[in-house]
mmCIF file of all heavy atoms in Angstrom:
data_model
loop_
_atom_site.group_PDB
_atom_site.id
_atom_site.type_symbol
_atom_site.label_atom_id
_atom_site.label_comp_id
_atom_site.label_asym_id
_atom_site.label_seq_id
_atom_site.Cartn_x
_atom_site.Cartn_y
_atom_site.Cartn_z
ATOM 1 N N ALA J 6 -112.089 -121.554 26.877
ATOM 2 C CA ALA J 6 -111.146 -120.523 26.280
ATOM 3 C C ALA J 6 -111.827 -119.641 25.236
ATOM 4 O O ALA J 6 -111.656 -118.457 25.170
ATOM 5 C CB ALA J 6 -109.939 -121.236 25.632
ATOM 6 N N ASN J 17 -99.688 -126.046 25.726
ATOM 7 C CA ASN J 17 -99.227 -126.384 27.171
ATOM 8 C C ASN J 17 -100.277 -126.016 28.182
ATOM 9 O O ASN J 17 -99.915 -126.055 29.450
ATOM 10 C CB ASN J 17 -97.820 -125.662 27.474
ATOM 11 C CG ASN J 17 -97.959 -124.200 27.470
ATOM 12 O OD1 ASN J 17 -98.909 -123.670 26.910
ATOM 13 N ND2 ASN J 17 -96.994 -123.522 28.095
ATOM 14 N N GLN J 25 -108.408 -121.464 35.691
ATOM 15 C CA GLN J 25 -107.766 -120.386 36.531
ATOM 16 C C GLN J 25 -107.802 -119.047 35.879
ATOM 17 O O GLN J 25 -108.150 -117.955 36.500
ATOM 18 C CB GLN J 25 -106.392 -120.812 36.888
ATOM 19 C CG GLN J 25 -105.751 -119.877 37.956
ATOM 20 C CD GLN J 25 -106.261 -120.099 39.269
ATOM 21 O OE1 GLN J 25 -106.190 -121.179 39.839
ATOM 22 N NE2 GLN J 25 -106.995 -119.072 39.776
ATOM 23 N N SER J 34 -113.827 -113.735 40.447
ATOM 24 C CA SER J 34 -115.232 -114.365 40.739
ATOM 25 C C SER J 34 -115.336 -115.674 39.987
ATOM 26 O O SER J 34 -115.031 -115.833 38.790
ATOM 27 C CB SER J 34 -116.212 -113.367 40.226
ATOM 28 O OG SER J 34 -117.478 -114.010 40.312
ATOM 29 N N THR J 69 -114.712 -140.972 40.843
ATOM 30 C CA THR J 69 -114.794 -140.272 39.607
ATOM 31 C C THR J 69 -114.350 -138.839 39.774
ATOM 32 O O THR J 69 -114.436 -138.227 40.876
ATOM 33 C CB THR J 69 -116.206 -140.232 38.983
ATOM 34 O OG1 THR J 69 -116.161 -139.642 37.631
ATOM 35 C CG2 THR J 69 -117.212 -139.459 39.790
ATOM 36 N N ILE J 76 -123.634 -141.195 36.299
ATOM 37 C CA ILE J 76 -123.471 -142.439 37.023
ATOM 38 C C ILE J 76 -124.728 -142.584 37.948
ATOM 39 O O ILE J 76 -125.397 -143.594 38.098
ATOM 40 C CB ILE J 76 -122.167 -142.514 37.783
ATOM 41 C CG1 ILE J 76 -121.058 -142.509 36.797
ATOM 42 C CG2 ILE J 76 -122.172 -143.790 38.656
ATOM 43 C CD1 ILE J 76 -119.609 -142.451 37.363
ATOM 44 N N SER J 88 -124.712 -144.516 47.324
ATOM 45 C CA SER J 88 -124.298 -143.329 48.192
ATOM 46 C C SER J 88 -123.243 -142.540 47.483
ATOM 47 O O SER J 88 -122.175 -143.104 47.009
ATOM 48 C CB SER J 88 -123.705 -143.880 49.431
ATOM 49 O OG SER J 88 -124.745 -144.465 50.229
ATOM 50 N N ASP J 156 -104.815 -136.806 35.526
ATOM 51 C CA ASP J 156 -105.390 -136.124 36.724
ATOM 52 C C ASP J 156 -104.377 -136.262 37.875
ATOM 53 O O ASP J 156 -104.003 -137.312 38.259
ATOM 54 C CB ASP J 156 -106.714 -136.791 37.106
ATOM 55 C CG ASP J 156 -107.307 -136.099 38.267
ATOM 56 O OD1 ASP J 156 -107.797 -134.972 38.171
ATOM 57 O OD2 ASP J 156 -107.276 -136.644 39.380
ATOM 58 N N LEU J 211 -116.463 -153.641 31.625
ATOM 59 C CA LEU J 211 -117.304 -153.742 32.808
ATOM 60 C C LEU J 211 -118.261 -154.900 32.685
ATOM 61 O O LEU J 211 -118.582 -155.572 33.681
ATOM 62 C CB LEU J 211 -118.124 -152.361 32.977
ATOM 63 C CG LEU J 211 -117.318 -151.196 33.399
ATOM 64 C CD1 LEU J 211 -118.057 -149.966 33.198
ATOM 65 C CD2 LEU J 211 -116.909 -151.381 34.922
ATOM 66 N N LYS J 217 -118.285 -162.328 35.651
ATOM 67 C CA LYS J 217 -117.485 -163.295 36.447
ATOM 68 C C LYS J 217 -118.045 -163.376 37.855
ATOM 69 O O LYS J 217 -118.614 -162.534 38.410
ATOM 70 C CB LYS J 217 -116.027 -162.702 36.420
ATOM 71 C CG LYS J 217 -115.406 -162.790 34.998
ATOM 72 C CD LYS J 217 -113.979 -162.234 35.081
ATOM 73 C CE LYS J 217 -113.373 -162.357 33.713
ATOM 74 N NZ LYS J 217 -111.914 -161.797 33.658
#
Side-chain angles (χ1 to χ4, degrees):
N17 61 342
Q25 187 70 65
S34 170
T69 186
I76 296 176
S88 291
D156 181 75
L211 289 167
K217 292 181 179 180

